[in-house]
Amino acid sequence: MRQACDILLMKSILYLVRRKPGPIAEETIDMVLVSGVFGQPTSVLFIDDGVYQLLEQPGTNNRSDTARKWSALPTYEIDRIFIHERSVQERTLDCALTPEFASMITDTQVDALLHEAASVVSD
């Protein structure tokens, strides 16, 4: 009976990654991974300048250092990873550079994602 109650208490959390790679990114990655370790239903949305954490920046051939760390999310059973399509387009980044573990979503899908989450945490 206790296990059933614990499952009911597990609320979904959505992490909004809005900033370019930097010190805050490291803290956000840690928070997301902790959610995964404890089996909390977790989603991650890369939006605004946060798309730089996963995608190649113009004029470079390398992804950010944080991109490698983010690629570990599926290992922690976090597989709801999204990239805001309009944010990518506004920064003239190539949508084809989207990592395999993340899905591109539209404005309408972002709205739905925000409404379905019990909690939203932004960096």
Side-chain angles (χ1 to χ4, degrees), residues 48-59:
D48 301 330
D49 284 343
V51 298
Y52 288 117
Q53 292 196 34
L54 288 183
L55 301 176
E56 187 175 312
Q57 297 184 34

Side-chain angles (χ1 to χ4, degrees), residues 22-85:
I24 297 292
E26 299 293 329
E27 293 176 19
T28 304
I29 292 168
D30 290 344
M31 286 190 306
V32 173
L33 293 177
V34 166
S35 293
V37 166
F38 287 105
Q40 185 168 19
T42 303
S43 301
V44 182
L45 172 61
F46 294 87
I47 192 167
D48 301 330
D49 284 343
V51 298
Y52 288 117
Q53 292 196 34
L54 288 183
L55 301 176
E56 187 175 312
Q57 297 184 34
T60 69
N61 292 324
N62 299 322
R63 290 187 179 192
S64 69
D65 290 339
T66 58
R68 287 188 295 260
K69 293 176 183 170
W70 286 117
S71 68
L73 292 180
T75 306
Y76 292 85
E77 297 184 19
I78 300 170
D79 54 5
R80 292 178 42 91
I81 306 161
F82 306 99
I83 302 172
H84 184 223
E85 183 176 43

Side-chain angles (χ1 to χ4, degrees), residues 103-123:
S103 302
M104 202 68 85
I105 62 173
T106 65
D107 290 338
T108 303
Q109 292 169 311
V110 168
D111 289 342
L113 192 61
L114 288 167
H115 283 91
E116 78 179 32
S119 299
V120 177
V121 177
S122 182
D123 62 356

